[in-house]
């Protein structure tokens, strides 16, 4: 008997159109806040130059008021949900470099799953097949509930958050373009409503295979059927795809180059259009890996970039579930429509209930072996050479990235709270102290702040360096400063950090507003009479603020062991962290040319965490 479905308080998207719109700050407020946020990174002459350019930008006869007026008109246009609607397309779909490793991000799932754990010693890859089947069943259950709007809206302090990103979870694929990418997705004008696709694509040894996961009558396949289907995939793809025919490697190319390759694929043979359509409309991708990673670092690296082997990936797919030979698993996410908070809710749903319960919830039933068919491309010598070159280039690119995982079992959110500190402020201050001790200076630090309380809200760019942070670091690195002033500096730096995060959540951050004005100048400059270059965007304030030395983001979930992404510049350390009540896990990445700085930062971070904890723990009781 099917499991009875719980009664919802409200449907998935019930609140989305009622959420308040993202407020559009005034130009004056944004420019003032930008100068304040950038000032701690600048010398006095640099501050003066930035202030002068900001004044000229927002002057009545400057370009700022013209661009801001155009943004106001756009924000008031019927059908526009947010003044940031175009911004997200320009920011994510407009980037022209690789998205593999540069933009996609990963979560490594905690544990091996009950089926995998029970079968870990079985022969024949049963642990892998059962884990993959369980994840497929859970994802299909989520998809069917989403179709019926039976996914509960996420609440934050009792208030609903935007659920709009959930429409990008299934059958969504980024399509490369010469100038800007597009997205092939349901819930769109070209594809109204949820996807009716009933298949996924399974990659094994570089071979893509189409597999049905929903039967002809609309019922999902039972778990045993999915296991049998995956076993058939393994049998059908037992040989490794040659290096010059694993088409997924093309998704690692810079976007315009991949767009050219895709055009040539489509022009060569109609079969290629069919193959691309199969992959692009698939509900999601499952990647079955031959190996079991030796440790957490190897797991994260393989999830993020296949350890340089992209044959078994399709990085343009919104969701790729990756399952290793021993049943370990994780997810690789294409970022253009999906931020970490949405994926965390998705993962918590997948892993928070057993595979059997998901199957019962979805109405899965035994139907025999699912349809399993190879996805075949027709290639000529030029395309084969292109595929081989793409794989070799990406392998070299991945090899040029250094990474590291850190685990602190003696620190977590509860410890920071016990010390009367914001957990996020505590770790961000530890990052700053570790960075100064490792590299000898502070540098621009980005932190992603979720803004889903607004209609179509996504994230805001927080800049961590404040005057109080500089004073804290100075106190901690001055051997003549004793515990009391160090403790006072630590305590003084936390409230401004929390206040700035709240400014971001409230729509009072400057960077994306100014960035969108720059995008408008590029899109409409000729029409508006505004021509680049614009002096504000060449100032030390703009350039230094966005030239990250640390790029940070958190993903707190008991179902996630590690969160990971690549660094964002030639000197940047990417800091992806999972801060749990009693545990703290990090995945760090940086270009290999500056790997010494990564090692030093990791060493100093452990020291800084324990030093700051001991500093606050030894605070004399209040009189």
């Amino acid at each position: 008997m099917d499991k009875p479905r719980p009664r919802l308080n409200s449907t998935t998207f019930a609140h989305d159109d009622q959420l308040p719109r993202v407020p559009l700050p005034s130009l004056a407020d944004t420019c003032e806040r930008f100068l304040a946020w950038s000032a701690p990174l600048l010398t006095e002459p640099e501050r003066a130059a930035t202030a002068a350019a900001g004044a000229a930008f927002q002057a009545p006869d400057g370009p700022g008021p013209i661009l801001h007026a155009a943004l106001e008109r756009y924000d008031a246009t019927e059908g526009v949900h947010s003044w940031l609607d175009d911004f997200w397309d320009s920011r994510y779909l407009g980037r022209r470099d690789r998205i593999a490793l540069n933009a996609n991000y990963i979560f490594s799932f905690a544990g091996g799953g009950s089926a995998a754990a029970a079968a870990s010693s079985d022969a024949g890859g049963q642990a892998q097949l059962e884990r993959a089947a369980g994840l497929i069943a859970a994802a299909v259950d989520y998809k069917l509930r989403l179709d019926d709007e039976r996914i509960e809206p996420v609440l934050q302090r009792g208030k609903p958050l935007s659920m709009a990103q959930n429409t990008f979870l299934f059958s969504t694929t980024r399509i490369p373009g010469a100038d800007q990418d597009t997205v092939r997705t349901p819930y769109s004008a070209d594809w109204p409503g949820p996807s009716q696709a009933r298949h996924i694509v399974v990659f094994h040894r570089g071979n893509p295979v189409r597999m049905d996961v929903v039967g002809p009558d609309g019922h999902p396949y039972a778990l045993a059927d999915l296991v049998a289907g995956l076993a058939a995939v393994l049998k059908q793809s037992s040989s490794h795809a040659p290096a010059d025919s694993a088409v997924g490697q093309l998704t690692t190319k810079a976007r315009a180059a991949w767009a050219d390759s895709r055009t040539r694929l489509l022009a060569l043979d109609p079969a290629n259009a069919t193959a691309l359509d199969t992959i692009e409309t698939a509900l999601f991708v499952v990647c079955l890996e031959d190996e079991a990673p030796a440790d957490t670092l190897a797991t994260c690296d393989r999830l993020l970039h296949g350890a340089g082997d992209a044959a078994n990936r399709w990085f343009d797919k919104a969701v790729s579930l990756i399952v290793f030979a021993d049943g370990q698993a994780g997810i690789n996410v294409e970022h253009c429509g999906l931020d970490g908070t949405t994926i965390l809710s998705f993962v918590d749903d997948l892993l928070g209930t057993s595979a059997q319960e998901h199957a019962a919830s979805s109405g899965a039933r035994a139907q025999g072996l699912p349809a399993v068919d190879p996805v075949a491309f027709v290639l000529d010598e030029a395309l084969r050479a292109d595929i081989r070159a793409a794989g070799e280039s990406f392998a070299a690119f991945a090899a040029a990235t250094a990474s590291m995982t850190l685990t602190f079992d003696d620190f977590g959110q509860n410890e920071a709270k016990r010390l009367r500190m914001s957990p996020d402020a505590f770790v961000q201050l530890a990052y700053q102290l570790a960075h100064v001790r490792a590299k000898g200076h502070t540098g621009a630090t980005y932190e992603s702040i979720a803004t889903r309380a607004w209609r179509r809200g996504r994230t805001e760019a927080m800049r961590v360096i404040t005057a109080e942070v500089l004073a804290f670091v100075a106190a901690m690195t001055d051997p003549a400063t004793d515990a009391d002033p160090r403790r006072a500096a630590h305590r003084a730096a936390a409230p401004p950090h929390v206040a700035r995060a709240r400014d971001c959540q409230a729509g009072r951050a400057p960077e994306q507003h100014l960035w969108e004005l720059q995008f408008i100048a590029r899109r409409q400059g000729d029409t508006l009479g505004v021509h680049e270059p614009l002096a504000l965007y060449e100032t030390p304030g703009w350039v230094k603020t966005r030239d990250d030395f640390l790029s940070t983001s958190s993903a707190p979930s008991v179902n996630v062991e590690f969160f990971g992404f690549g660094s964002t510049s030639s000197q940047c350390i990417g800091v992806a962290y999972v801060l749990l009540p009693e545990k703290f896990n990090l995945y760090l990445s940086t270009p290999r040319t500056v790997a010494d700085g990564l090692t030093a930062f990791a060493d100093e971070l452990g020291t800084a965490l324990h030093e700051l904890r001991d500093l606050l723990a030894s605070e004399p009781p209040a009189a």
Side-chain angles (χ1 to χ4, degrees):
M1 175 180 284
D2 290 348
K3 181 181 177 181
R5 304 191 189 284
R7 197 172 188 85
L8 297 186
N9 294 323
S10 56
T11 58
T12 304
F13 306 110
H15 304 288
D16 273 57
D17 288 339
Q18 282 73 51
L19 290 175
R21 295 174 70 92
V22 179
L24 176 56
S26 72
L27 182 60
D29 285 349
T30 286
C31 288
E32 180 181 2
R33 192 167 281 110
F34 163 65
L35 291 172
W37 285 25
S38 63
L41 293 169
L42 307 178
T43 64
E44 188 54 44
E46 289 172 336
R47 283 194 288 270
T50 301
F57 182 79
Q58 62 181 309
D61 60 347
I66 298 171
L67 297 171
H68 186 75
L71 184 54
E72 288 179 318
R73 290 192 295 273
Y74 174 75
D75 191 35
T77 301
E78 184 177 356
V80 170
H81 297 93
S82 162
W83 62 265
L84 287 159
D85 282 2
D86 277 351
F87 170 80
W88 297 116
D89 285 350
S90 295
R91 176 178 177 180
Y92 286 120
L93 299 176
R95 69 180 302 160
R96 300 290 79 202
D97 58 347
R98 309 173 191 269
I99 61 168
L101 183 53
N102 285 340
N104 287 31
Y105 61 92
I106 60 101
F107 293 133
S108 171
F109 298 160
S114 57
S120 59
S121 62
D122 289 358
Q126 194 69 15
Q128 180 182 42
L129 298 185
E130 291 189 5
R131 186 76 194 278
L135 291 172
I136 293 167
V140 170
D141 177 40
Y142 191 98
K143 194 267 180 191
L144 294 178
R145 285 183 284 130
L146 182 64
D147 289 355
D148 294 338
E149 299 193 27
R150 291 184 285 111
I151 300 296
E152 286 277 8
V154 176
L155 302 179
Q156 184 179 65
R157 301 183 187 93
K159 295 183 178 180
L161 302 183
S162 173
M163 299 293 287
Q165 289 183 41
N166 288 61
T167 63
F168 293 98
L169 282 169
F170 299 104
S171 292
T172 297
T173 309
R174 181 174 178 146
I175 307 299
D179 300 312
Q180 180 166 305
D181 291 357
T182 55
V183 182
R184 186 175 183 182
T185 186
Y187 299 94
S188 63
D190 294 334
W191 193 350
S195 168
Q196 299 303 308
R198 296 179 174 181
H199 71 282
I200 62 172
V201 168
V202 182
F203 279 81
H204 179 240
R205 296 182 174 175
N207 302 286
V209 180
R210 183 193 190 281
M211 186 176 109
D212 282 355
V213 292
V214 178
D217 64 355
H219 286 276
Y221 282 89
L223 282 166
D225 295 345
L226 295 175
V227 170
L230 292 169
V233 169
L234 295 187
K235 185 175 181 179
Q236 195 173 101
S237 57
S238 58
S239 298
H240 286 274
D244 62 357
S245 67
V247 178
Q249 294 180 128
L250 295 176
T251 67
T252 68
K253 296 178 69 174
R255 303 310 294 174
W258 167 209
D260 177 68
S261 300
R262 186 174 184 275
T263 297
R264 289 188 286 118
L265 271 172
L266 291 169
L268 180 61
D269 192 285
N272 291 338
T274 300
L276 287 170
D277 185 70
T278 297
I279 294 171
E280 291 165 8
T281 61
L283 295 175
F284 49 90
V285 158
V286 172
C287 305
L288 299 179
E289 300 286 279
D290 272 344
E291 299 175 359
D295 52 31
T296 57
L297 178 59
T299 300
C300 291
D301 285 347
R302 290 202 68 86
L303 289 172
L304 187 59
H305 51 72
D309 181 1
N312 215 42
R313 301 285 186 273
W314 197 273
F315 286 105
D316 287 0
K317 202 67 186 165
V319 169
S320 296
L321 296 170
I322 301 167
V323 185
F324 298 102
D326 61 353
Q328 293 184 77
I331 189 170
N332 185 294
V333 183
E334 199 285 301
H335 202 349
C336 75
L338 293 166
D339 296 321
T341 56
T342 297
I343 295 296
L344 279 179
S345 295
F346 176 55
V347 168
D348 284 343
D349 190 283
L350 298 192
L351 303 182
T353 303
S354 72
Q356 290 76 13
E357 288 175 294
H358 277 297
S361 168
S362 70
R365 59 180 58 172
Q367 303 171 68
L369 183 69
V372 173
D373 299 294
V375 179
F377 287 90
V378 176
L379 305 171
D380 58 15
E381 288 306 312
L383 280 166
R384 289 183 182 278
D386 188 12
I387 292 166
R388 180 186 292 276
E392 292 172 350
S393 175
F394 185 65
F397 182 69
T401 297
S403 57
M404 180 180 296
T405 55
L406 298 175
T407 292
F408 299 97
D409 291 319
D410 58 350
F411 178 82
Q413 295 174 5
N414 290 344
E415 181 73 0
K417 291 176 182 178
R418 187 180 67 80
L419 297 169
R420 297 182 294 112
M421 282 284 284
S422 153
D424 188 69
F426 191 103
V427 298
Q428 286 287 344
L429 290 171
Y431 298 156
Q432 296 307 319
L433 180 57
H435 189 271
V436 168
R437 287 174 171 171
K439 294 192 174 183
H441 60 85
T442 54
T445 300
Y446 167 91
E447 182 177 5
S448 177
I449 302 294
T451 58
R452 285 175 59 197
W454 305 102
R455 189 181 308 178
R456 301 294 173 99
R458 294 196 59 171
T459 60
E460 185 53 84
M462 175 169 159
R463 294 297 168 180
V464 171
I465 305 299
T466 62
E468 292 82 0
V469 166
L470 295 184
F472 156 73
V473 170
M476 294 299 300
T477 54
D478 181 0
T481 303
D482 62 21
D484 287 341
R486 287 185 174 189
R487 196 159 34 238
H490 192 193
R491 292 254 181 238
H497 178 90
V498 173
R500 186 167 289 187
R502 287 176 178 162
D503 277 343
C504 289
Q505 291 170 336
R508 295 191 297 266
E511 184 166 324
Q512 290 179 173
H513 183 195
L514 290 177
W515 199 357
E516 173 58 6
L517 296 182
Q518 185 182 38
F519 283 143
I520 291 173
R522 292 176 184 173
R523 297 187 212 111
Q524 306 175 39
D526 290 342
T527 302
L528 298 172
V530 175
H531 303 289
E532 293 191 289
L534 300 173
L536 177 65
Y537 300 99
E538 298 183 338
T539 61
W542 184 254
V543 173
K544 281 193 170 184
T545 299
R546 291 158 48 82
D547 189 15
D548 297 331
F549 280 81
L550 293 172
S551 179
T552 72
S553 187
S554 66
S557 169
V558 295
N559 292 306
V560 170
E561 185 173 20
F562 285 93
F563 168 35
F565 51 81
S567 64
T568 58
S569 70
S570 60
Q571 78 284 327
C572 177
I573 299 174
V575 182
Y577 57 108
V578 180
L579 183 58
L580 298 176
E582 304 293 346
K583 194 173 185 178
F584 186 28
N585 285 347
L586 303 95
Y587 177 82
L588 309 176
S589 63
T590 201
R592 193 164 294 280
T593 52
V594 290
D596 288 349
L598 174 69
T599 303
F601 174 79
D603 290 342
E604 294 290 356
L605 180 58
T607 300
L609 280 171
H610 297 121
E611 181 179 349
L612 295 176
R613 181 188 63 187
D614 293 345
L615 183 69
L616 294 186
S618 63
E619 187 172 26

